[in-house]
Amino acid sequence: EVMKLIEETNASTTQVARFKKPIEQPALVKWLVDNKVLSIALEGSLHQVQYCERLKSIMDYLGDKLELDELTTIWRMQDGQHQVVMDNIHMLIACAAVRFTQEQLSHLFHLIKSSWTTENNRSREKLLVLVGKLGKEDRGGKISSQVLELLWDLAHLDNLPTEIVEQALRSHGSILSDSFNVKDQVRQQYAIMCIEDIKKGTWVVPAFKQLLKIVRAIGRPSYQKPEKSVVAELHHKYDLLKLTIVSMQRCHTLSCQQARSVVSLSTVKIDGRYTHDQCMAVHLKFIGTVLQDGLMYLPFGNAKDIWDCLVANPNSCQSDQENCFDWFNSHMKDMEPDTLLKMFQQRILFFDAAKLTVKSFACIRVFYDNVNESDRRTRRVGNSVIIDNAALHGLDYMWQAALNTPSPAVADEAILLLLVAYGGNRMKKDVDFVAKHTTFMQKCCKLMEENLASLNDVATVGGALQNAAAAIMAGVTPDVHPQSDERLSRLLSLERLLLLAERYIDKYENTAFRRNSLPHGAMFQGDKIQLQVFAEQQGKPDFEVVTHSNDTLHNLRRKIAHRFNTTPEHLQIHHDDRMLLTTDNFKLLHQLCLNDADIVTVRVLFAPTANNNIMELSGGNMPARQAFLLDQEKQQPSVIMSSLSEVFGLLYKLGALCVPNLTKRVRSLLMLIPPDPAVTTFLQSLPRSNSVQDAPEVDTGASPVGSFSDTFISSITSDSLPSSCPLTLDGLLQPDSPGMSAFRVLYNLEGLSSRLHPAGFRADCSPLVAARYIDSFLSAGGLPMLLNILKDKVISSHVDAEIQEEILSRTLQLLNLVLTHTVGHETS
């Protein structure tokens, strides 16, 4: 009924005149106040939102007519009540406060302050929400300044929980940002107050957070943007960058003093509220805001100070470094090219590569790209990078990152950059790729030799460690350092170097044409593979194809094409949701991750497709053909690596270390490069003579069938043949022979298998040639030598189990082949 009276009073006379005469507003207000109608109404269902919505009209109607004692009564109604009742009462008061007089507002603030001292933290949060509403809903500008001052004072009270301080700052910032009655002068006043708090070193994190909100509120975009931003003015007056960096350094020092160790540094609370990580993050965030909103570049001096505080500082923790790298990565455009180059050369490149993480390397890579591009040493053309100057900034550091970081992900990224740096520029026609490949392979081999020498030096400290152990037993503390970490570091570097060479060959080897100088892995038959072939077209049969892991994709295409009665060029082969490209035709199946029992899907193309990538030269002038292939294959990275002096001796030494991961990498690399010329030369001479005197003579014209592969290898590696290579068959197959090891015996067995059981696509080893070679092998006493390998203790028990297994497996295969051949001859 009261609501109806208010509505009739507010309505126009013409709307109600024909029904009844409305009560005049002053009389109705006096009646409501004298009879304390509002207080009586508030005794109702205050927990119901709908009921409170109706009361809101009465509160708004009375407004400045409310007496102070009635306002106090309404305020006290929330004591001991549920949070919902408290929220509804605050809503009513905030609605009516818009029309309050100055006396009423002062009394309301007094009530709020008195409640603040007695209420719990949950109720204090409610009070802060109310104060925030009072400030935001002020349209006349009467109470905004008082509300801002009240919130500022409340947020500065000691012993307040972080949540209460954050709530006060949110309300304070919301009023500064959204209120139409807050002038920029008021915002600047509070910005200066924040700066003063930062200078004092008190209330630092809240001050920076509030300063960020104020700066954004002042610098909001408008159609009439001032020529000089407020941020730039504040920076000019207070040097905000220096102020922030000095504050960050001071806070970092305080954190280190309070932290028990570097590990606990990130979680220590220097002010009892905010952690060290939060403190550093808000400093970095403000520096970024100053740079972007103030349209400034970060000077080198400031950038250096940030780095020295968070990264180069010996007391910095990992989170400091990660946050710093993240910040530089996202603010690369806020530094001029000269600053980028100085930072890269004087700070970034001195970061320990062994401590690299994914985040830190992501930042260093952006520095690397930007610095070289700014210095015109690289340029981007689409998705490709063109190297205009091979002396790239930071290239040596990328080698360190690839070899020394414990993170495989970081190593992969660094290896990718090295591959581009040395083997890129595929789009340029005047690049000497032989020189580029040679430089890269020589670098790899040199680093392998250095790490291997260091590894041997580490091994010489074994005696010192034994002496140290004896000293410990005697009760004396020895002054030695364990060498296990250094050894693991060297082994990791060697493994990465082998992986780097392997990926370089895999990336830049041209596998689109038939090789004549085959890699070692393609010389002999591998493990049996049985593939399930499914046809996409209806009416085409499904079938199985039997091949081996060292077969080529080209041969697999020919086998499948034969079953479909078509040509290899008319086939599309898919495996694991990817199409096997014709540019990989002469890759081996194990390189394409094709394994036993895998499924391949085949689509037959009925329209002829041009295939200019596969080059197969047959017939014609043989010298011209050999000259062409010689020129083409000399440019292949694998051929260049195999031609380097002592490369095989180096790989043999690495394989003999009996470190499983390292052995695996050496084996993978040897499979990709042409075979050892010393082994090839001897095995090639075996059909003619088995004597030491005749073995070095290599006469391709006297071989059963002219072998271009052997001639090719001899022509490019005649200067790199080892001076003392085994020249007897027994020496090649005995692990205890001079210069031999179990690793080398396995490699020699594979070389022997390439003669006795060659891969089917070798033109120089027909079944007749292989049969003749078996006869020569038997004549040389090869059968007892193979049987001797199977004897107990011939292969040391210290040899890696996988190598032992492969030696025995390969020996049994050769024995089966030789014995089958012998039985066949006797039957004939």
Side-chain angles (χ1 to χ4, degrees), residues 402-533:
L403 304 186
N404 300 330
T405 176
S407 170
V410 172
D412 287 342
E413 290 292 326
I415 287 174
L416 181 61
L417 293 177
L418 290 175
L419 296 183
V420 173
Y422 283 90
N425 289 352
R426 310 301 293 181
M427 299 174 63
K428 298 180 72 174
K429 297 180 180 180
D430 57 344
V431 178
D432 186 357
F433 288 107
V434 174
K436 292 176 70 69
H437 298 333
T438 302
T439 301
F440 180 82
M441 292 303 176
Q442 287 176 340
K443 177 84 171 179
C444 285
C445 291
K446 180 182 178 182
L447 292 174
M448 286 183 202
E449 291 174 351
E450 292 175 356
N451 280 276
L452 183 59
S454 299
L455 191 64
N456 293 332
D457 292 340
V458 172
T460 60
V461 303
L465 292 177
Q466 290 179 359
N467 295 335
I472 293 174
M473 296 297 293
V476 180
T477 302
D479 186 17
V480 297
H481 299 282
Q483 302 295 324
S484 58
D485 291 343
E486 177 67 17
R487 173 179 170 82
L488 292 176
S489 176
R490 295 300 178 183
L491 290 174
L492 178 62
S493 297
L494 287 168
E495 183 182 342
R496 294 277 174 74
L497 284 167
L498 292 165
L499 177 63
L500 186 55
E502 181 182 340
R503 290 191 177 174
Y504 190 92
I505 292 173
D506 184 69
K507 184 175 180 66
Y508 295 115
E509 194 90 348
N510 189 347
T511 57
F513 65 93
R514 183 184 295 280
R515 289 286 297 271
N516 289 278
S517 171
L518 296 175
H520 175 70
M523 300 286 287
F524 57 93
Q525 295 209 11
D527 298 328
K528 179 181 177 183
I529 293 180
Q530 189 166 329
L531 299 174
Q532 306 291 326
V533 181

Side-chain angles (χ1 to χ4, degrees), residues 432-660:
D432 186 357
F433 288 107
V434 174
K436 292 176 70 69
H437 298 333
T438 302
T439 301
F440 180 82
M441 292 303 176
Q442 287 176 340
K443 177 84 171 179
C444 285
C445 291
K446 180 182 178 182
L447 292 174
M448 286 183 202
E449 291 174 351
E450 292 175 356
N451 280 276
L452 183 59
S454 299
L455 191 64
N456 293 332
D457 292 340
V458 172
T460 60
V461 303
L465 292 177
Q466 290 179 359
N467 295 335
I472 293 174
M473 296 297 293
V476 180
T477 302
D479 186 17
V480 297
H481 299 282
Q483 302 295 324
S484 58
D485 291 343
E486 177 67 17
R487 173 179 170 82
L488 292 176
S489 176
R490 295 300 178 183
L491 290 174
L492 178 62
S493 297
L494 287 168
E495 183 182 342
R496 294 277 174 74
L497 284 167
L498 292 165
L499 177 63
L500 186 55
E502 181 182 340
R503 290 191 177 174
Y504 190 92
I505 292 173
D506 184 69
K507 184 175 180 66
Y508 295 115
E509 194 90 348
N510 189 347
T511 57
F513 65 93
R514 183 184 295 280
R515 289 286 297 271
N516 289 278
S517 171
L518 296 175
H520 175 70
M523 300 286 287
F524 57 93
Q525 295 209 11
D527 298 328
K528 179 181 177 183
I529 293 180
Q530 189 166 329
L531 299 174
Q532 306 291 326
V533 181
F534 290 166
E536 285 191 358
Q537 288 92 340
Q538 293 183 355
K540 298 290 184 181
D542 299 332
F543 55 90
E544 295 180 350
V545 171
V546 179
T547 179
H548 59 92
S549 58
N550 288 347
D551 203 357
T552 63
L553 175 60
H554 178 63
N555 272 3
L556 178 63
R557 286 185 189 276
R558 293 177 61 181
K559 293 177 182 179
I560 296 176
H562 179 71
R563 296 292 297 269
F564 282 121
N565 195 24
T566 185
T567 60
E569 292 79 8
H570 293 165
L571 290 183
Q572 282 186 356
I573 303 178
H574 296 262
H575 176 251
D576 284 345
D577 298 327
R578 65 187 179 93
M579 187 172 72
L580 303 181
L581 304 176
T582 56
T583 53
D584 295 331
N585 259 2
F586 290 94
K587 277 191 175 182
L588 306 184
L589 298 186
H590 71 82
Q591 291 179 276
L592 300 172
C593 300
L594 282 165
N595 301 310
D596 190 35
D598 279 1
I599 298 175
V600 296
T601 304
V602 177
R603 174 185 297 173
V604 179
L605 303 177
F606 295 99
T609 58
N611 186 3
N612 298 323
N613 293 322
I614 300 178
M615 187 192 315
E616 297 187 37
L617 299 179
S618 60
N621 189 302
M622 183 60 68
R625 173 174 178 264
Q626 291 190 357
F628 174 80
L629 292 177
L630 183 64
D631 180 66
Q632 290 294 307
E633 295 191 22
K634 276 185 177 180
Q635 300 181 23
Q636 301 307 307
S638 63
V639 175
I640 292 173
M641 184 173 194
S642 67
S643 67
L644 296 179
S645 176
E646 301 296 338
V647 65
F648 288 99
L650 176 61
L651 295 178
Y652 292 152
K653 291 177 183 178
L654 296 178
L657 292 175
C658 296
V659 179

Side-chain angles (χ1 to χ4, degrees), residues 193-248:
M193 293 169 67
C194 290
I195 293 173
E196 294 300 326
D197 282 335
I198 294 170
K199 286 182 177 180
K200 296 175 185 177
T202 59
W203 209 64
V204 175
V205 176
F208 270 116
K209 288 189 172 184
Q210 205 63 6
L211 190 55
L212 277 169
K213 295 177 183 177
I214 295 172
V215 165
R216 289 170 179 169
I218 297 176
R220 285 180 299 179
S222 62
Y223 292 105
Q224 298 178 347
K225 190 173 181 179
E227 294 181 0
K228 193 174 184 180
S229 67
V230 177
V231 175
E233 293 178 358
L234 289 173
H235 175 69
H236 178 73
K237 188 174 182 180
Y238 297 100
D239 195 354
L240 295 181
L241 291 179
K242 183 178 180 180
L243 171 75
T244 308
I245 294 172
V246 170
S247 173
M248 182 169 62

